[in-house]
Every structure is written in structure tokens, then in C-alpha cells.
């Protein structure tokens, strides 16, 4: 079969775009299987679930697979190597009970989404299989204030707070060697923020939480020569501390053959409390870049960021 390393294999379903990128081992037929999926959850006036009030297309899980035919693949591990957490946007106001943005947290409603394959636009709702050299995806949405918030020391639900606080635009440009994500936030209200994760990568530590295959166990940053041990949950060294000035992070497995890289290439403003850290939770070694830390924004403030993701299998 044709295993051109510059080719993307695409399986398009009604609410999911599955694309496959070949690993860099020329003697292997291993690929990484990515998912761009649409998630929809209606508004919940009782705020029973934090991830309500959402309609988004977003990057989801990644699997290591073996190509078995022109458009057929078989999983080589019993679960994803990238968790289904957010990659793109999760922002929290100071008095909110939850973040806003994406499927994991909700409070984001898409206005439109467009898909281009080799620069030719296609309807994402029409299934199909084909190969291409590039995928471009752009969406515009609104972020909404979380309706559950802290008042006089107690959490209360106030559905009148479900108002748009920001415009969100994201543009993915996907090639065999990289995934580039350009994002823009335009703030519509005055508000105080506690965190603004604007680029994330939920790479697994172990395949099944605390067990099964070790996917990543080492990490390094562009401004720090240390190779940190991130092989167990609960680590508390420098990689877990929120540090400013970091632009590029790499995580890899010494035996898994899996590697992941996330780089902030450009921002229109570098805020004083921006930072990076790696999660030590049981679920993953998730890479976080916080655009703002604690800060205040006003109507008309605009954030722009360019980020690059590179994942690979050498198996």
C-alpha cells in the first residue's frame, strides 16, 4: 500500500474528521490517528454539569495505530496516547466555579466552522475517504460566563450570568510534520481572570491512568537543560511549578517510542503573569501554557497566539 509520509489519510464522518499521520520510522507502517470532533451539550439552567452550554468542533484523542489497508487501521494499544482533554482554550474568571471553553468545560457556542482539504472547502457533514497534503479548519465562537459563581462565600447559580464575555476564533493548519493553531480572543466585558490556558496538550503518562504502558516519562524545556522525570503521578519538581518565559516543551517516553512537542511561536502581548507547567495528575502529563495568569481585561482587548504541536511515533 502507499505509505507516503507527507500524505494525510482522511476518514470523514458526520460529526468527526479522523486523520492519520505516518510516524517517522521509514520501515514501519505505524501512524497516529487524530480526531477532530463536534461536541454539543445544551444549556443547563441548574448547572448540574460543568460542561454544558456548548457547541464546538475541537481536537480530541490521539491513538497509535497500524495501517492495514488504504483506509483501514488497527489500534496497537488498548487506549489513546493523548487524553480527550482540551487542547485549545480553557479560561477561568476569578469568581467562577469552572473554566469556559471547549467540551470539557463548556460555555462556548460555535457560530460557524469551515473545513478545507488541500485548500478545497468541503462540507464536514458529508462522509468520505480520501488522502490530502493539508487540512485547514477555522471556527468562530462565543465564550460565555459560567453561571455558577462565588457570592458572599457560597456557590450560587444565576442563569442571568450566561452572557457572552469574549469572541473566540481558532484556525488549525494540519500537515504531516506539524499542527499549527492560531487563536484570537476579543474581550467583550470587563472581568478579572485567574487563568487563561490558550495552548494545552493532554499527552498520557501511562496508557490507563495509573497503569498499563508508560507513554511519557521525560520532559525538557527550551530554557532549561534538565531532563525531568515525569514518570509517576504526583511529582513536585520544577516541571510542575508555574514558570514564566518558557516557549517550547518536549515530553517523550524512553521506551514507548512516543514523543510530543508544544511550542508558543508568537503572541501579540506577553503578560507579566504568563506561565507554563506540566500536570502531575494521574490522568496525564498534560502540558499547559497560561496566557495571562491573574489579570484584568476590558472590552476591546485582543489576544493573539500562534502555537505548534508535533507528535510522533518512531515504532
Amino acid at each position: 500500500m502507499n505509505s507516503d509520509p507527507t500524505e494525510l489519510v482522511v476518514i470523514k464522518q458526520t460529526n468527526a474528521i479522523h486523520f492519520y499521520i505516518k510516524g517517522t520510522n521509514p520501515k514501519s507502517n505505524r501512524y497516529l490517528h487524530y480526531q477532530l470532533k463536534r461536541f454539543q451539550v445544551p444549556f443547563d439552567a441548574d448547572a448540574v454539569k460543568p460542561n454544558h452550554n456548548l457547541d464546538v468542533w475541537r481536537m480530541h484523542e490521539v491513538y497509535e495505530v497500524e495501517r492495514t489497508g488504504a483506509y483501514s487501521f488497527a489500534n496497537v494499544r488498548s487506549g489513546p496516547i493523548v487524553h480527550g482533554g482540551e487542547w485549545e482554550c480553557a479560561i477561568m474568571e476569578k469568581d467562577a466555579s469552572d473554566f469556559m471553553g471547549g467540551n470539557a468545560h463548556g460555555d462556548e457556542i460555535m457560530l460557524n466552522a469551515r473545513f478545507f482539504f488541500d485548500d478545497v472547502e468541503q462540507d464536514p457533514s458529508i462522509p468520505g475517504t480520501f488522502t490530502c497534503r493539508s487540512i485547514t479548519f477555522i471556527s468562530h465562537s462565543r465564550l460565555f460566563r459560567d453561571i455558577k459563581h462565588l457570592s458572599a462565600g457560597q456557590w450560587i447559580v444565576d442563569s442571568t450570568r450566561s452572557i457572552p464575555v469574549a469572541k473566540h476564533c481558532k484556525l488549525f493548519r494540519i500537515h504531516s510534520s506539524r499542527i499549527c493553531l492560531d487563536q484570537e480572543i476579543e474581550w467583550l466585558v470587563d472581568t478579572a481572570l485567574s487563568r487563561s490556558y490558550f495552548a494545552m496538550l493532554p499527552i498520557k503518562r501511562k496508557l490507563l491512568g495509573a497503569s498499563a504502558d508508560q507513554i511519557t516519562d521525560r520532559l525538557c524545556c527550551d530554557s532549561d537543560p534538565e531532563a525531568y522525570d515525569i514518570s509517576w503521578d504526583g511529582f513536585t519538581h520544577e516541571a510542575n511549578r508555574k514558570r514564566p518565559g518558557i516557549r517550547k516543551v518536549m515530553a517523550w517516553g524512553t521506551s514507548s517510542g512516543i514523543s510530543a512537542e508544544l511550542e508558543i511561536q508568537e503572541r501579540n502581548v506577553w503578560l507579566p503573569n504568563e506561565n507554563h507547567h506540566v500536570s502531575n495528575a494521574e490522568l496525564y502529563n498534560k502540558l499547559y501554557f497560561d496566557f495571562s495568569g491573574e489579570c484584568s481585561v476590558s472590552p476591546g482587548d485582543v489576544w493573539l497566539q500562534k502555537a505548534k504541536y508535533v507528535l510522533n511515533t518512531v515504532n
Side-chain angles (χ1 to χ4, degrees), residues 123-173:
D123 185 339
S125 68
I126 300 176
T129 56
F130 52 90
T131 61
C132 62
R133 293 291 190 274
S134 68
I135 300 171
T136 302
F137 160 63
I138 185 169
S139 76
H140 296 84
S141 61
R142 295 291 182 268
L143 297 174
F144 290 81
R145 175 166 278 148
D146 186 37
I147 66 173
K148 190 175 182 182
H149 65 107
L150 191 65
S151 178
Q154 295 193 359
W155 292 107
I156 65 171
V157 173
D158 179 1
S159 60
T160 65
R161 285 170 53 89
S162 187
I163 60 172
V165 297
K167 300 177 182 178
H168 181 208
C169 176
K170 61 185 178 186
L171 169 66
F172 274 105
R173 291 169 294 165

Side-chain angles (χ1 to χ4, degrees), residues 5 12 20 33 38 59-60 78 88 100 119 125 141 184 186 194 221 237 252 254 265 276 278 291 294 312:
K12 191 154 65 77
Y20 300 79
H33 167 203
R38 187 177 186 179
M59 292 292 292
H60 191 45
S78 58
E88 301 134 26
M100 50 187 168
D119 300 323
S125 68
S141 61
E184 176 180 331
E186 179 183 347
S194 62
C221 306
H237 48 58
W252 68 95
T254 52
Q265 297 181 299
H276 159 77
V278 183
F291 193 102
E294 289 195 8
N312 188 34

Side-chain angles (χ1 to χ4, degrees), residues 98-282:
D98 185 44
F99 291 85
M100 50 187 168
N103 172 58
H105 305 288
D107 295 312
E108 181 168 9
I109 299 295
M110 181 178 64
L111 303 178
N112 56 60
R114 303 177 69 184
F115 289 85
F116 300 82
F117 301 89
D118 286 342
D119 300 323
V120 177
E121 186 170 9
Q122 291 194 31
D123 185 339
S125 68
I126 300 176
T129 56
F130 52 90
T131 61
C132 62
R133 293 291 190 274
S134 68
I135 300 171
T136 302
F137 160 63
I138 185 169
S139 76
H140 296 84
S141 61
R142 295 291 182 268
L143 297 174
F144 290 81
R145 175 166 278 148
D146 186 37
I147 66 173
K148 190 175 182 182
H149 65 107
L150 191 65
S151 178
Q154 295 193 359
W155 292 107
I156 65 171
V157 173
D158 179 1
S159 60
T160 65
R161 285 170 53 89
S162 187
I163 60 172
V165 297
K167 300 177 182 178
H168 181 208
C169 176
K170 61 185 178 186
L171 169 66
F172 274 105
R173 291 169 294 165
I174 299 164
H175 299 268
S176 60
S177 60
R178 65 200 180 281
I179 297 175
C180 295
L181 172 61
D182 297 355
Q183 292 191 88
E184 176 180 331
I185 291 281
E186 179 183 347
W187 292 100
L188 303 175
V189 300
D190 288 306
T191 191
L193 305 172
S194 62
R195 284 159 286 175
S196 303
Y197 298 132
F198 215 27
M200 298 160 279
L201 182 56
I203 187 73
K204 289 286 191 76
R205 178 182 303 108
K206 293 189 176 181
L207 194 68
L208 303 177
S211 63
D213 302 354
Q214 186 87 43
I215 302 302
T216 55
D217 54 28
R218 293 292 182 273
L219 176 135
C220 68
C221 306
D222 57 355
S223 58
D224 185 348
E226 181 74 21
Y228 290 99
D229 185 349
I230 55 172
S231 61
W232 79 99
D233 59 278
F235 60 81
T236 57
H237 48 58
E238 285 291 283
N240 181 239
R241 185 172 66 84
K242 294 184 177 182
R243 296 187 289 173
I246 292 173
R247 304 291 182 264
K248 183 177 179 179
V249 182
M250 297 178 63
W252 68 95
T254 52
S255 61
S256 69
I258 301 296
S259 61
E261 174 186 310
L262 177 53
E263 179 181 5
I264 304 302
Q265 297 181 299
E266 187 178 331
R267 287 176 179 166
N268 68 326
V269 59
W270 291 90
L271 298 175
N273 293 325
E274 65 87 19
N275 64 84
H276 159 77
H277 80 281
V278 183
S279 173
N280 63 4
E282 183 179 290

Side-chain angles (χ1 to χ4, degrees), residues 23-38:
T24 54
N25 184 345
K27 299 179 180 179
S28 170
N29 219 20
R30 293 282 178 94
Y31 282 67
L32 293 182
H33 167 203
Y34 298 78
Q35 302 172 343
L36 258 173
K37 298 184 72 174
R38 187 177 186 179

